[in-house]
Amino acid sequence: MKRVIFDTDIGIDDAMALLFLHYAPTVQIEAITTVSGNASIANTTRNALYVCERFGIDVPVYRGASGPIGQALGSGHPDFVHGANGLGNIEFADPTKTAELKGAAEAIVELAEAHPGEISVVAVGRLSNLAKALSLNPRLPELLKEVVVMGGVFMRRNHGGNVSPVAEANMAGDPSAADRVLGCGLPVTVVGLDVTQETTMDEQFIDTLQANAGDAGRFIHDITRFYFDFYAGVDGVRACPIHDSSAVAYWLAPHLYTVEEGPVRVIAEGIAMGQTILGLTPDRYESDAWLDRPACKVCIDVDADAVKALYLETLALAGQ
Ligand code: BDR
Ligand code: CA
């Protein structure tokens, strides 16, 4: 079994990614840690509890950071993308399941200490919880198996930022935390817009889920109405990137991605706040902020059809 902590600002694509992990046959979700982002920490935690309860995901939910550890680009939450409640404004009663008393960063540290080298983190929101966990235990890089981050953009194939010309939302929402995590020596893979925007879903994809994935398909259909309305307004078509499930797909099937390796910096201030820059020639310059930083893997290409097939095939297990 592959063991994972799912660190999430659970909005629409995060919920799809959680279901991907839940129905993947070889995965054991150890914990869900929430962070502010797509919605407030109160709503992202409520959403995590609701999805767990509705789909029988019997794992502890730990409430995490309510804001960034440093400066951020913008404030508030993207209710125009994910709805005010973060789940496309579908209505649901408050879940009876409650969050644990322990905080997210503490939970990450405790799980990593209890099972050294065994647990991965798939982080699909701002990296505030992981940065705090690193402060609690600087040995975390030796204790976690792997970290896969959805975030960033490296300007491949004309892909630019989604919250500024150069910045992606998860990085821009807490760039200091991201710079810290990507530079701490953890085995990190960054799954950014360069590949998530190449992996798109449309109404036909949702129809297939509705037909094959039981209640999970119905839920995904319902929460994506708002999401598709937003993307249709921006791009003129009812289709959108598969962001957070791409991080899960990489974690499950890394052979579907092409990566480059090198140190990554996240710009923490100024007009380029949140920009992620891969230093491929860090020993070339006299003064170099990339020098002596550990390498990350950065996804630069993807077999998008195979990723989508993996998602559909996995979710079909929900319909059986
Ligand atoms: C990322 O930002 C959030 O809105 C999404 O859930 C995803 O994690 C995309 O930039
Ligand atoms: Ca997310």
Side-chain angles (χ1 to χ4, degrees):
M1 282 301 225
K2 283 167 77 77
R3 305 172 70 179
V4 68
I5 298 169
F6 186 56
D7 188 49
T8 172
D9 60 331
I10 193 158
I12 293 165
D13 61 319
D14 306 64
M16 290 182 66
L18 175 55
L19 291 173
F20 195 9
L21 282 173
H22 176 55
Y23 291 109
T26 54
V27 171
Q28 185 169 318
I29 305 173
E30 298 286 337
I32 297 169
T33 50
T34 61
V35 65
S36 157
N38 287 327
S40 67
I41 190 65
N43 271 323
T44 59
T45 306
R46 179 175 182 256
N47 295 345
L49 294 165
Y50 170 69
V51 176
C52 284
E53 199 159 273
R54 176 160 170 177
F55 295 98
I57 305 174
D58 189 16
V59 302
V61 172
Y62 299 92
R63 182 184 166 113
S66 59
I69 65 165
Q71 286 185 57
L73 182 65
S75 58
H77 307 287
D79 53 2
F80 47 94
V81 184
H82 292 265
N85 71 356
L87 284 182
N89 287 340
I90 62 158
E91 287 183 19
F92 55 92
D94 283 338
T96 53
K97 183 179 170 77
T98 53
E100 305 297 311
L101 291 178
K102 197 178 295 164
E106 289 79 3
I108 292 170
V109 168
E110 278 189 22
L111 277 163
E113 286 173 346
H115 310 283
E118 287 180 29
I119 297 186
S120 303
V121 178
V122 173
V124 297
R126 302 168 180 179
L127 295 177
S128 323
N129 291 335
L130 268 172
K132 287 185 178 182
L134 277 167
S135 299
L136 292 175
N137 186 344
R139 285 189 52 240
L140 200 62
E142 299 153 40
L143 299 173
L144 286 172
K145 183 171 185 188
E146 179 184 10
V147 175
V148 180
V149 170
M150 189 282 128
V153 61
F154 297 87
M155 308 295 163
R156 303 303 168 98
R157 299 174 182 218
N158 287 329
H159 290 294
N162 59 2
V163 290
S164 87
V166 295
E168 180 280 332
N170 290 339
M171 297 289 120
D174 198 348
S176 301
D179 193 54
R180 179 121 196 256
V181 171
L182 300 189
C184 75
L186 273 165
V188 180
T189 303
V190 185
V191 181
L193 300 180
D194 311 84
V195 289
T196 68
Q197 290 180 341
E198 291 288 324
T199 314
T200 57
M201 63 179 183
D202 56 14
E203 291 287 20
Q204 201 187 337
F205 184 89
I206 301 296
D207 289 346
T208 307
L209 284 170
Q210 263 204 299
N212 300 333
D215 191 40
R218 283 189 288 280
F219 171 67
I220 292 170
H221 170 269
D222 292 349
I223 60 175
T224 52
R225 298 309 84 205
F226 195 95
Y227 208 44
F228 276 141
D229 287 347
F230 166 73
Y231 279 101
V234 174
D235 301 326
V237 281
R238 292 185 73 77
C240 63
I242 300 180
H243 291 305
D244 291 349
S245 293
S246 291
V248 175
Y250 175 85
W251 185 60
L252 294 173
H255 60 279
L256 301 181
Y257 291 83
T258 305
V259 299
E260 283 183 352
E261 289 191 50
V264 175
R265 297 301 313 242
V266 185
I267 307 304
E269 55 191 16
I271 59 166
M273 187 186 284
Q275 182 175 9
T276 42
I277 305 177
L278 172 63
L280 286 174
T281 51
D283 51 358
R284 179 167 156 191
Y285 310 100
E286 237 172 78
S287 162
D288 191 334
W290 284 256
L291 206 59
D292 298 329
R293 291 261 298 188
C296 298
K297 288 183 182 158
V298 171
C299 293
I300 54 151
D301 204 356
V302 57
D303 181 345
D305 288 341
V307 168
K308 287 192 278 184
L310 180 63
Y311 190 89
L312 292 175
E313 183 187 302
T314 305
L315 266 284
L317 298 173
Q320 288 176 2

